[in-house]
């Protein structure tokens, strides 16, 4: 899956606005019909993963993987990505589907958000992902967007990357040098940046199936239904201990290891304090950094209350 840009981050919104103005100026100046259309250097439909890798290798670094297209096409329309060769992998059936093998759940990179949300297998073995789908944008996006696209895009305000961290998932990629397995902790590097190489394709995500008695909880606060979260938190409680991840609080999803240790010790107050110190949220037109820190603590308290069966 390719690295692309979206307009969901505040800084990127500014950049997108500037690019939009530039495009409008070109349109008005040239009076052409193409000033606001996406600029692609070509299109090729891959018949297999190997074929897709060959196409990327021959693109001189300009290849972009097209799966659901919910972020890539938007970026191209805003001229944030131009002259690309679109390598369409959407018809490679081996990259789609949900499978349980032994104690591992595998979700193909081309599995749609809506398919993840409707899967009884996912609901049984990774209910955190089922819950996350209901928070993602709107039906049209969920029907086209893919699991792999969301992970490779690595939007720091998106649900799936944080879920992958909390669940201890592993990303699987294919490239000219063969297959790689990348733990979620090492996969997300910066805003819209992952450990994937330019000539690699994300093929699937695997994670351990939920054990007996395991609880998985997602909490988030957004201005409106379908909006990106101002702050979001994932809490997984296993026999081995707690796992806590947060999103929309920095340049990438955060695994709050200090807060996890505090929860393992039964100290909620220390965990709330730790969450505040472990994140570095931005201030923007949606919320201040201080408010986001406050929300992170509130969401952790809510998640722990749900964990204990307190719905008040």
């Amino acid at each position: 899956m390719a690295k692309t840009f979206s307009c969901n981050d505040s800084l990127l919104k500014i950049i997108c606005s500037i690019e939009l103005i530039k495009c409008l100026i070109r349109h008005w100046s040239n009076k052409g019909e193409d000033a606001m259309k996406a600029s692609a250097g070509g299109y090729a439909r891959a018949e297999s993963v190997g074929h897709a890798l060959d196409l990327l290798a021959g693109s001189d670094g300009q290849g972009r993987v097209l799966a659901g297209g919910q972020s890539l096409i938007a970026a191209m329309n805003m001229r944030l990505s131009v002259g690309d060769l679109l390598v369409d992998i959407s018809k490679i059936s081996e990259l789609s589907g949900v499978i349980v093998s032994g104690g591992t759940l595998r979700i193909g990179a081309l599995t749609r958000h809506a398919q993840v949300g409707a899967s009884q297998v996912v609901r049984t073995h990774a209910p955190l992902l089922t819950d996350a789908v209901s928070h993602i944008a709107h039906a049209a996006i969920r029907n086209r967007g893919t699991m792999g696209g969301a992970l490779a895009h690595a939007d720091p305000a998106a649900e799936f990357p944080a879920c992958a961290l909390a669940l201890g998932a592993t990303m699987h990629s294919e490239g000219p040098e063969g297959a790689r397995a990348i733990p979620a902790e090492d996969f997300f590097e910066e805003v819209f940046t992952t450990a994937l190489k330019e000539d690699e394709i994300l093929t699937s995500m695997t994670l351990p199936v939920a054990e007996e008695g395991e609880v998985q909880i997602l909490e988030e606060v957004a201005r409106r239904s379908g909006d990106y979260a101002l702050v979001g938190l994932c809490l997984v409680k296993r026999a081995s201990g707690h796992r806590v991840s947060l999103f929309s609080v920095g340049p990438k999803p955060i695994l709050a290891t200090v807060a996890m240790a505090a929860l393992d010790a039964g100290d909620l107050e220390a965990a709330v304090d730790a969450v505040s110190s472990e994140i570095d949220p931005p201030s923007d037109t949606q919320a201040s950094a201080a408010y986001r820190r406050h929300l992170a603590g509130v969401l952790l308290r809510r998640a722990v209350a749900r964990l204990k069966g307190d719905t008040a």
Side-chain angles (χ1 to χ4, degrees):
M1 314 299 286
K3 303 180 183 72
T4 59
F5 298 94
S6 79
C7 302
N8 298 314
D9 180 80
S10 296
L11 176 59
L12 266 296
K13 287 180 180 179
I14 296 173
I15 296 174
C16 289
S17 297
I18 294 173
E19 292 299 319
L20 175 58
I21 293 171
K22 288 180 180 178
C23 288
L24 288 172
I25 291 174
R26 286 198 299 270
H27 177 75
W28 293 331
S29 299
N30 300 327
K31 295 182 180 180
E33 296 182 355
D34 299 326
M36 286 298 291
K37 293 181 180 178
S39 174
Y43 171 88
R45 172 169 288 175
E47 299 175 356
S48 65
V49 173
H51 185 206
L53 293 175
D54 289 341
L55 291 169
L56 289 176
S59 68
D60 195 27
Q62 294 300 306
R64 297 292 181 268
V65 176
L66 177 63
Q70 299 307 290
S71 298
L72 176 58
I73 300 303
M76 293 179 66
N77 284 338
M78 298 302 295
R79 298 302 178 98
L80 295 177
S81 185
V82 297
D84 303 322
L85 169 65
L86 299 183
V87 178
D88 186 350
I89 65 170
S90 63
K91 299 301 181 181
I92 304 178
S93 59
E94 66 192 83
L95 296 183
S96 183
V98 179
I99 300 173
V100 175
S101 178
T104 300
L105 173 67
R106 177 193 176 276
I107 301 177
L110 288 183
T111 309
R112 308 286 182 184
H113 299 337
Q115 292 173 320
V116 172
S119 170
Q120 187 58 50
V121 173
V122 174
R123 184 179 299 276
T124 299
H125 298 293
L128 186 67
L129 298 176
T130 304
D131 195 7
V133 171
S134 65
H135 293 280
I136 297 174
H138 306 285
I141 301 297
R142 296 192 290 269
N143 286 334
R144 290 296 304 167
T146 63
M147 172 63 77
L151 296 172
H153 186 50
D155 192 315
E159 287 84 1
F160 279 155
C163 290
L165 270 180
L167 293 169
T170 299
M171 314 306 169
H172 300 270
S173 67
E174 291 280 351
E177 300 177 0
R180 284 204 299 155
I182 311 168
E185 289 88 340
D186 301 324
F187 186 76
F188 305 105
E189 297 182 342
E190 262 292 341
V191 179
F192 309 125
T193 305
T194 71
L196 280 178
K197 299 177 181 178
E198 290 291 342
D199 56 0
E200 286 184 315
I201 293 175
L202 185 64
T203 56
S204 67
M205 175 179 74
T206 58
L207 56 142
V209 299
E211 60 191 33
E212 184 177 355
E214 179 171 324
V215 181
Q216 302 176 6
I217 295 170
L218 186 147
E219 290 280 350
E220 71 172 60
V221 173
R223 292 169 64 90
R224 297 173 300 180
S225 175
D227 279 5
Y228 275 80
L230 297 178
V231 176
L233 180 142
C234 302
L235 172 62
V236 176
K237 175 63 171 67
R238 295 170 173 159
S240 59
H242 299 77
R243 290 182 66 87
V244 178
S245 66
L246 296 103
F247 52 103
S248 203
V249 294
K252 63 179 182 178
I254 303 297
L255 190 65
T257 55
V258 179
M260 288 158 47
L263 289 178
D264 289 345
D267 193 339
L268 175 58
E269 295 306 317
V272 171
D273 291 341
V275 160
S276 179
S277 65
E278 289 187 271
I279 62 177
D280 184 23
S283 290
D284 54 31
T285 57
Q286 305 299 311
S288 67
Y291 183 55
R292 284 191 164 96
R293 289 183 190 278
H294 170 72
L295 282 179
V298 170
L299 295 184
L300 181 57
R301 292 182 187 279
R302 288 181 183 176
V304 171
R306 288 176 58 189
L307 187 66
K308 296 178 178 179
D310 182 3
T311 58

